């Protein structure tokens, strides 16, 4: 444990710089670096520097498990930030729990999980699936075609979306999964099926490098995003930058942050980010969660005086911060985060025009106890939650 008063405090960083989800995880890693530099520039943790220790798990669950054990046991690290795919988070949780370490997980996910040793800063299903279902069924129609990558997050996310669609009188035409490394021809045959079945919209839980194949195949099959959009929780500015803005235009994503959010905190962070990493980099929902969670962690470390897990776990619940998306709060009971659900439509510049913005934060309901947005807003609205 890093306990000497002048030693740096080490934080493990477990994002992939290779493999199928490297672009989005590198975005999360850049956000982590930016926040750590800001924290150190402002005096660190009561004078102690935050020192990031990087490992590349190559988008492979077994490597995440091996590397987090190495960070905890060999590097004596107590806090690790990282993981994108839910399969990788599931792989590390037993190790984090066994060593009573702490994982900060900055990615939207399928919910139905709680660990004493994890702080979840990405969206839970009631913060993205629920508003997306309401928006798509209200604006496009009720016949849905589902396509996803072949692993736990898409299975579970589709199960939740199916419940929401059926409850609202909708119909699921098909549910297809493709391997994480599926190529162009697999996506083209799915797009042809979509064209043949003519759904009202497509719900995509494709992640990583498959996203660009999916949107390209959709265009190749002659589908019009303004009539039959792809609605996603995982297609962000970063994937669109990789595939080209023209392929994304017209498609829809639900997220708790878009680069286009006008909040002054976001504008300040964007300016710092572009100065540090160049004007060409974009931000996204996972970047933002990776960024603000470092500042939440630093605030908790300043209060507790270091990286002791039990002390941090007592301090983190209830902490609030002005994040780029708006004010956020770590939930007192479930280790998830109060966030700001939004719906965005991609424009020709690869940015999201915001179609719907929540009036305040929404408490995470990771076990989807309520299936209604109205219940959520009523039970968790409060005087400081309304943003202009
Ligand atoms: C994910 O696998 N949680 C995107």
């Amino acid at each position: 444990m890093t306990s000497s008063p002048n030693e740096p405090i080490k934080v493990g960083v477990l994002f992939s710089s290779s493999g199928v989800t490297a672009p989005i995880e590198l975005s999360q890693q850049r956000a982590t670096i930016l926040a750590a530099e800001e924290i150190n520039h402002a005096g660190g943790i009561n004078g102690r520097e935050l020192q990031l220790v990087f490992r590349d798990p190559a988008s492979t669950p077994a490597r995440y498990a091996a590397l987090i054990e190495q960070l905890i046991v060999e590097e004596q690290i107590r806090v690790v930030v990282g993981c994108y795919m839910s399969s990788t988070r599931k792989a590390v949780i037993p190790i984090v729990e066994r060593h009573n370490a702490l994982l900060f997980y900055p990615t939207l996910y399928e919910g139905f999980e709680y660990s004493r040793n994890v702080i979840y800063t990405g969206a839970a299903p009631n913060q993205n699936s629920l508003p997306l279902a309401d928006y798509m069924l209200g604006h496009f129609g009720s016949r849905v075609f589902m396509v996803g990558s072949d692993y736990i997050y898409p299975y579970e996310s589709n199960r939740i979306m199916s419940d929401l669609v059926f409850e609202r009188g909708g119909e699921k035409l098909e549910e297809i999964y493709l391997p994480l490394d599926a190529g162009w021809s697999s996506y083209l045959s799915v797009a042809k099926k979509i064209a043949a079945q003519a759904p009202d919209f497509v719900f995509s839980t494709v992640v990583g490098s498959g996203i660009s194949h999916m949107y390209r195949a959709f265009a190749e099959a002659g589908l019009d995003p303004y009539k039959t959009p792809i609605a996603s929780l995982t297609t962000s500015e970063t994937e669109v930058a990789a595939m080209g803005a023209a392929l994304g235009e017209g498609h829809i994503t639900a997220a708790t942050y878009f680069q286009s959010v006008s909040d002054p905190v976001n504008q300040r962070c964007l300016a710092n980010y572009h100065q540090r990493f160049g004007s060409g980099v974009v931000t996204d929902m996972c970047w933002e969660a990776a960024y603000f969670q470092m500042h939440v962690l630093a605030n908790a470390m300043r209060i507790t005086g270091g990286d002791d897990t039990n002390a941090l776990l007592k301090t983190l619940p209830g902490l609030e911060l002005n994040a780029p998306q708006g004010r956020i709060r770590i939930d007192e009971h479930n280790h998830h985060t109060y966030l700001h659900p939004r719906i965005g439509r991609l424009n020709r510049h690869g940015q999201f025009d915001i179609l719907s913005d929540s009036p305040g934060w929404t408490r995470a309901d990771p076990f989807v106890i309520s299936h209604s947005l109205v219940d959520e807003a009523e039970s968790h609205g409060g005087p400081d939650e309304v943003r202009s």
Side-chain angles (χ1 to χ4, degrees), residues 84-87 89 105 107-110 151 153-154 207 234:
Y84 176 80
M85 283 189 282
S86 290
S87 47
R89 183 191 71 259
Y105 176 58
T107 307
L108 68 127
Y109 87 111
E110 65 281 2
Y151 75 102
Y153 163 72
V207 302
T234 47

Side-chain angles (χ1 to χ4, degrees), residues 154-191:
Y155 308 154
E156 293 300 306
S157 188
N158 277 336
R159 182 181 60 74
I160 294 161
M161 184 57 84
S162 300
D163 282 352
L164 296 171
V165 166
F166 296 148
E167 274 172 18
R168 286 154 177 74
E171 181 191 352
K172 178 163 61 179
L173 302 184
E174 194 141 359
E175 184 174 333
I176 292 180
Y177 295 96
L178 292 174
L180 282 162
D181 60 355
W184 161 247
S185 61
S186 306
Y187 282 97
L188 191 56
S189 66
V190 170

Side-chain angles (χ1 to χ4, degrees), residues 339-358:
L339 300 170
H340 296 258
R342 296 177 163 101
I343 309 279
R345 182 166 228 170
L346 280 161
N347 62 31
R348 73 176 67 166
H349 308 293
Q351 292 292 320
F352 287 92
D353 295 328
I354 298 177
L355 303 174
S356 149
D357 203 341
S358 58

Side-chain angles (χ1 to χ4, degrees), residues 53-323:
V53 181
F54 300 92
R55 293 289 182 275
D56 174 16
S59 310
T60 308
R63 280 188 62 79
Y64 282 80
L67 290 173
I68 205 162
E69 181 115 40
Q70 196 190 85
L71 286 170
I72 294 169
V73 174
E74 291 172 22
E75 297 287 339
Q76 307 266 295
I77 281 175
R78 306 304 305 150
V79 181
V80 177
V81 300
C83 298
Y84 176 80
M85 283 189 282
S86 290
S87 47
T88 68
R89 183 191 71 259
K90 296 272 187 200
V92 306
I93 286 179
I95 297 152
V96 174
E97 289 182 348
R98 178 153 37 85
H99 293 287
N100 193 29
L102 195 50
L103 172 72
F104 277 73
Y105 176 58
T107 307
L108 68 127
Y109 87 111
E110 65 281 2
F112 292 86
E113 190 178 286
Y114 165 83
S115 168
R116 177 182 180 273
N117 297 84
V118 179
I119 300 293
Y120 305 80
T121 56
N126 73 305
Q127 295 166 319
N128 55 9
S129 300
L130 194 51
L132 188 64
D134 281 346
Y135 189 88
M136 297 310 292
L137 272 79
H139 288 80
F140 290 95
S142 57
R143 298 171 64 255
V144 188
F145 190 111
M146 298 187 180
V147 53
S149 300
D150 193 6
Y151 75 102
I152 183 166
Y153 163 72
Y155 308 154
E156 293 300 306
S157 188
N158 277 336
R159 182 181 60 74
I160 294 161
M161 184 57 84
S162 300
D163 282 352
L164 296 171
V165 166
F166 296 148
E167 274 172 18
R168 286 154 177 74
E171 181 191 352
K172 178 163 61 179
L173 302 184
E174 194 141 359
E175 184 174 333
I176 292 180
Y177 295 96
L178 292 174
L180 282 162
D181 60 355
W184 161 247
S185 61
S186 306
Y187 282 97
L188 191 56
S189 66
V190 170
K192 285 180 179 161
K193 272 192 186 169
I194 295 170
Q197 298 213 25
D200 293 323
F201 68 96
V202 175
F203 178 51
S204 169
T205 46
V206 173
V207 302
S209 48
I211 291 178
S212 64
H213 289 320
M214 177 69 214
Y215 287 70
R216 188 175 303 281
F218 190 94
E220 178 83 12
L223 288 152
D224 176 0
Y226 285 96
K227 282 201 192 114
T228 311
I230 300 173
S232 168
L233 308 172
T234 47
T235 301
S236 76
E237 294 87 338
T238 291
E239 285 83 8
V240 175
M243 72 187 178
L247 286 179
E249 187 184 349
H251 294 294
I252 289 175
T253 292
T256 50
Y257 167 87
F258 295 117
Q259 181 173 326
S260 53
V261 163
S262 60
D263 195 298
V265 175
N266 186 39
Q267 298 310 315
R268 197 187 67 222
C269 288
L270 282 172
N272 291 347
Y273 189 50
H274 288 145
Q275 194 174 17
R276 172 65 176 80
F277 288 99
S279 57
V281 285
V282 296
T283 62
D284 59 73
M285 57 185 128
C286 299
W287 176 94
E288 196 252 1
Y291 173 82
F292 81 67
Q293 70 176 16
M294 285 300 290
H295 281 287
V296 173
L297 169 63
N299 287 344
M301 284 180 163
R302 289 184 188 110
I303 295 167
T304 64
D307 60 358
D308 179 77
T309 303
N310 293 335
L312 288 172
L313 283 171
K314 276 201 192 103
T315 302
L316 283 160
L319 280 194
E320 295 187 13
L321 187 89
N322 287 325

